């Protein structure tokens, strides 16, 4: 589903790679990148359980070239990742989820158990983006 949503990015960046039947293979030229970094949650104490449950959903993943993913590393916040307009479009980020991703800046930090407002912002970003991805598929592929 994510590759369908990011089809323009995939076609422009990886047009010579035509093996989408093998997307699980490690032989692909892109990474599955977490928009809100998994390293900010994985093996950390005091992280909100809702965040742990939603960190690996399609709304928080994007396909990203190895080069771009390595250069961004896990230090950039979602807001910093989308400051560049092309990154936003390439990552299939729409205005309705961008408004929430843009609130997750470098001062936002890890999503702790006792921070319901921050958790709500994260969940809003992830869920809006997930709905956008499924709408893209439904309107452009399922209906045809």
């Amino acid at each position: 589903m994510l590759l369908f949503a990011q089809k323009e990015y995939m076609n422009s960046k990886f047009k010579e790679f035509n093996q989408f039947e093998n997307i699980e293979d490690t032989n692909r030229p892109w990474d599955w990148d977490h928009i809100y970094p998994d390293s900010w949650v994985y093996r950390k104490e005091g992280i909100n359980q809702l965040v742990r449950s939603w960190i690996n959903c399609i709304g928080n993943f994007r396909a990203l070239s190895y080069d771009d993913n390595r250069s961004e590393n896990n230090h950039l916040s979602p807001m910093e990742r989308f400051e560049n307009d092309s990154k936003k479009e390439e990552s299939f980020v729409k205005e309705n989820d961008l408004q929430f991703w843009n609130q997750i800046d470098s001062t936002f930090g890890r999503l702790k158990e006792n921070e319901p407002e921050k958790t709500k912002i994260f969940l809003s970003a992830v869920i809006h983006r997930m709905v956008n991805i499924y709408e893209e598929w439904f309107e452009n592929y399922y209906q045809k």
Side-chain angles (χ1 to χ4, degrees):
M1 295 295 253
L2 192 52
L3 295 178
F4 286 124
Q6 287 187 258
K7 64 187 171 296
E8 290 177 24
Y9 172 72
M10 299 304 290
N11 288 334
S12 69
K13 201 81 162 170
F14 309 110
K15 59 184 161 226
E16 66 281 345
F17 185 83
N18 194 16
Q19 297 177 348
F20 286 104
E21 68 277 357
N22 245 347
I23 60 175
E24 296 298 325
D25 188 10
T26 57
N27 213 8
R28 55 181 162 40
W30 67 84
D31 278 332
W32 295 114
D33 178 55
H34 289 84
I35 296 172
Y36 182 90
D38 181 54
S39 64
W40 293 7
V41 173
Y42 185 67
R43 293 189 176 185
K44 306 292 187 230
E45 292 185 23
I47 301 296
N48 186 294
Q49 191 56 44
L50 283 170
V51 174
R52 287 194 190 282
S53 298
W54 284 84
I55 192 78
N56 291 317
C57 83
I58 193 171
N60 191 42
F61 275 119
R62 64 182 176 161
L64 191 64
S65 74
Y66 283 134
D67 293 340
D68 288 343
N69 195 27
R70 298 308 186 267
S71 69
E72 283 189 11
N73 208 327
N74 285 338
H75 302 296
L76 294 180
S77 69
M79 185 190 86
E80 293 167 318
R81 290 169 179 243
F82 298 132
E83 284 177 332
N84 179 345
D85 281 346
S86 68
K87 286 277 191 223
K88 175 182 68 173
E89 190 172 309
E90 290 172 354
S91 299
F92 197 76
V93 171
K94 304 291 184 187
E95 289 302 319
N96 67 339
D97 57 303
L98 181 63
Q99 65 178 317
F100 299 106
W101 293 120
N102 279 340
Q103 293 178 54
I104 305 174
D105 62 12
S106 57
T107 64
F108 196 83
R110 293 191 172 94
L111 294 159
K112 303 283 184 172
E113 291 172 344
N114 59 350
E115 298 178 319
E117 287 305 312
K118 285 183 175 183
T119 300
K120 183 178 177 182
I121 291 167
F122 166 77
L123 290 174
S124 295
V126 168
I127 292 169
H128 276 86
R129 185 165 177 273
M130 183 174 61
V131 168
N132 290 340
I133 290 167
Y134 283 101
E135 280 180 345
E136 173 75 10
W137 173 80
F138 183 77
E139 291 172 5
N140 293 304
Y141 299 99
Y142 179 75
Q143 299 270 338
K144 293 184 180 192

